[in-house]
Amino acid sequence: MSLPGSTVQVPTTGVTPASHGARAHLFTAGTVEDYRRVLAEGIGRVATRMAEVDRPFTGVTPDELVPRIAGIDLDRPLGDSGAALDELHDVYLRDAVYFHHPRYLAHLNCPVVIPALLGEAVLTAVNSSLDTWDQSAGGTLIERRLIDWTADRIGLGPAADGIFTSGGTQSNLQAMLLAREETCANLVGRTTERQSRPELLSRLRIITSAAGHFSVQKAAKLLGLGADAVVTVPTDADRRMRTADLAREIARCREEGLAVMAVVATAGTTDFGTIDPLPQIADICAAAGVWLHVDAAYGCGLLVSPTRRHLLDGIERADSVTVDYHKSFFQPVSSSALLVRDRRVLRHATWHADYLNPARMVEQRIPNQVDKSIQTTRRFDALKLWLTLRIMGPDAVGELFDEVVDRAAAAWQLLSGDPRFEVVTRSQLSTVVFRYLPAAAGREVVDDANLYAREALAASGAGLVAGTKVDGAHYLKLTLLNPETTMDDIAHVLDLIAEHAGWYAQTRATAELSCPVG
Ligand SMILES: Cc1ncc(COP(=O)(O)O)c(C=O)c1O
């Protein structure tokens, strides 16, 4: 049937068979067999690739990949999943960076647990959105239980609450938003002087340590604070915040008429895996009446550690805490949360929209997470952690994290006793920062040799390590998050680094001898 004066065809019954055209691709009651088949095919390809991966990276370069991906005509579909998976192998699966490989030793990426992958499969298929009850139902309550469970593990007290976020960066951003609003409200309440909002914002300061995460600076920028809003205090020899300097900075800010809106302590610095002295910092913040945020994006795994929970002592005194389950709980990206001591502060993230979350819902006590989040549509990431806890349990997750912390301690010992290397502070978690020291080389050559070694290792694909700067000099970093990484793996990668860096230093010395500068 067609409409008068139109060539548009409309179905006469209003129902098109599920197998017909575009609709065949929709996941509906009529396509569950396709869903089973296609997903099983995809899982099969990933499983095959995971099993055959013999190094964390193939060493593919952007120049090699760019034309392969650019050459695909996105307007001409392949039509079937098998062909698309073949193509995907070529542009992604073959050359992906594989975190489950024991010689992936670079960033804070973990291998993931199978219960969480089950959760991921379920949550994307059902596709709940955790903004309102009428888009999620039980999902909202499951997320709430996990927030309560995490807050209990931290010890935040009966008024605690929180929200799942996309990652530590977002959790830290939201924490700083809440701290900013609480501080502004206090400042306005305390003075009769009228101050414009920009004037108020320009007076706000966040104090963190020199080893804190850069997302704090980013948050300050996004929150409209001044360029000098983040004050970094130095760290001690163990790369932990110097508390005397923190107290001094708070006093200095006060004297200068500035308002410290938050102190950000780090429980697991990204580079050094060290934990700021939380009890002392909590004392200082309590005495000064300053919001304490603990960035435990990395160190949160200690919450379930059977042997090391005490390293987080003092975290229970925080006003807000960032936890990244996608770092030390072996969860797939994304899975993070922001927890707060006093649920009322989450109101700073609330906006009532008539179509979604009108204020009357609060009166009707309809549970709803969008009022606590800076997102609207939001993934049901909590389900991954739920199934992890229901299948494995928290102790098993903690045991996995303990293993990598033990391994990092052993790697630090190994490096300390190896004259080829210099190793920086001993981590409380699972990083090791070190560098190769070529004999009788100047600072520039040492820097370049280490940079070269990292790149050469990555290009070979035999292992991946990270790099960072310590006091202006280039260092290398192992981040151990895979319990399958053995000391043999670590020793092997260190030998390769020594070989590459040694070769570089030697080649450069020879070149300089044959062609002296000046
Ligand atoms: C201490 C710390 N905080 C925050 C972040 C940011 O987390 P995400 O990458 O999940 O945004 C990181 C990331 O490495 C981190 O190490």
Side-chain angles (χ1 to χ4, degrees), residues 108 167-170 172 213 215 266 268 270 295 297-298 324 326-327:
L108 272 167
T169 303
Q170 189 187 339
N172 285 345
H213 193 257
S215 53
T266 314
T270 317
D295 178 356
Y298 176 16
D324 265 11
H326 64 210
K327 289 186 171 55

Side-chain angles (χ1 to χ4, degrees), residues 148-168:
D148 291 346
W149 176 83
T150 308
D152 271 358
R153 287 261 163 182
I154 297 172
L156 283 180
D161 199 355
I163 190 76
F164 270 67
T165 71
S166 64

Side-chain angles (χ1 to χ4, degrees), residues 145-216:
R145 271 298 301 276
L146 288 166
I147 288 291
D148 291 346
W149 176 83
T150 308
D152 271 358
R153 287 261 163 182
I154 297 172
L156 283 180
D161 199 355
I163 190 76
F164 270 67
T165 71
S166 64
T169 303
Q170 189 187 339
S171 296
N172 285 345
L173 170 65
Q174 183 165 351
M176 292 305 100
L177 167 77
L178 305 180
R180 183 191 71 179
E181 291 310 299
E182 285 292 298
T183 309
C184 285
N186 285 339
L187 287 175
V188 170
R190 257 194 272 134
T191 170
T192 49
E193 228 175 276
R194 281 187 68 82
Q195 265 197 328
S196 70
R197 178 88 176 170
E199 274 166 351
L200 216 51
L201 294 190
S202 70
R203 287 175 52 208
L204 299 182
R205 294 292 180 272
I206 300 168
I207 304 181
T208 190
S209 92
H213 193 257
F214 76 90
S215 53
V216 176

Side-chain angles (χ1 to χ4, degrees), residues 42-385:
I43 288 171
R45 299 292 184 103
V46 174
T48 304
R49 185 71 194 118
M50 293 290 280
E52 74 189 10
V53 160
D54 62 354
R55 48 198 174 138
F57 185 43
T58 57
V60 71
T61 64
D63 283 349
E64 286 164 337
L65 267 186
V66 163
R68 268 193 254 160
I69 292 176
I72 288 172
D73 185 348
L74 293 175
D75 294 318
R76 290 171 58 118
L78 295 166
D80 84 279
S81 50
L85 285 168
D86 287 344
E87 183 184 87
L88 190 68
H89 183 83
D90 201 37
V91 296
Y92 174 60
L93 286 175
R94 184 178 45 223
D95 297 303
V97 175
Y98 283 98
F99 303 152
H100 75 289
H101 193 279
R103 291 184 187 167
Y104 177 82
L105 311 170
H107 300 288
L108 272 167
N109 308 114
C110 51
V112 293
V113 293
I114 294 171
L117 292 179
L118 177 62
E120 186 73 60
V122 174
L123 76 94
T124 53
V126 180
N127 199 27
S128 298
S129 174
L130 290 212
D131 35 345
T132 52
W133 172 260
D134 67 355
Q135 299 175 77
S136 61
T140 286
L141 302 182
I142 286 176
E143 175 169 321
R144 287 186 168 197
R145 271 298 301 276
L146 288 166
I147 288 291
D148 291 346
W149 176 83
T150 308
D152 271 358
R153 287 261 163 182
I154 297 172
L156 283 180
D161 199 355
I163 190 76
F164 270 67
T165 71
S166 64
T169 303
Q170 189 187 339
S171 296
N172 285 345
L173 170 65
Q174 183 165 351
M176 292 305 100
L177 167 77
L178 305 180
R180 183 191 71 179
E181 291 310 299
E182 285 292 298
T183 309
C184 285
N186 285 339
L187 287 175
V188 170
R190 257 194 272 134
T191 170
T192 49
E193 228 175 276
R194 281 187 68 82
Q195 265 197 328
S196 70
R197 178 88 176 170
E199 274 166 351
L200 216 51
L201 294 190
S202 70
R203 287 175 52 208
L204 299 182
R205 294 292 180 272
I206 300 168
I207 304 181
T208 190
S209 92
H213 193 257
F214 76 90
S215 53
V216 176
Q217 273 84 355
K218 217 168 178 176
K221 197 170 172 182
L222 290 169
L223 292 171
L225 308 184
D228 46 1
V230 180
V231 179
T232 52
V233 297
T235 52
D236 61 17
D238 290 332
R239 309 277 161 183
R240 303 163 81 215
M241 185 190 280
R242 281 185 197 272
T243 50
D245 288 302
L246 170 64
R248 207 170 301 127
E249 271 309 317
I250 293 178
R252 181 190 67 81
C253 288
R254 292 259 154 96
E255 278 159 25
E256 294 179 13
L258 304 169
V260 179
M261 64 169 237
V263 167
V264 179
T266 314
T269 55
T270 317
D271 278 345
F272 306 105
T274 47
I275 298 168
D276 286 337
L278 302 177
Q280 292 90 318
I281 294 173
D283 285 344
I284 293 170
C285 289
V290 169
W291 181 290
L292 170 59
H293 175 65
V294 176
D295 178 356
Y298 176 16
C300 62
L302 296 176
L303 292 172
V304 286
S305 160
T307 61
R308 293 181 171 89
R309 170 62 182 81
H310 62 279
L311 292 176
L312 290 179
D313 283 354
I315 195 171
E316 68 285 354
R317 295 173 63 193
D319 294 289
S320 56
V321 178
T322 287
V323 294
D324 265 11
Y325 309 105
H326 64 210
K327 289 186 171 55
S328 45
F329 273 69
F330 303 94
Q331 298 293 293
V333 178
S334 294
S335 187
S336 174
L338 170 69
L339 291 305
V340 293
R341 155 177 307 289
D342 178 354
R343 62 172 69 94
R344 288 173 303 181
V345 300
L346 290 169
R347 74 184 181 285
H348 299 302
T350 308
W351 190 272
H352 293 293
D354 291 340
Y355 83 93
L356 189 70
N357 59 335
R360 74 180 145 73
M361 279 188 171
V362 180
E363 285 145 33
Q364 292 169 343
R365 303 172 70 83
I366 299 173
N368 131 17
Q369 296 293 79
V370 72
D371 289 355
K372 307 174 189 175
S373 176
I374 58 176
Q375 290 172 255
T376 306
T377 304
R378 198 164 49 85
R379 286 166 58 88
F380 183 19
D381 283 316
L383 184 60
K384 296 178 284 195
L385 181 60

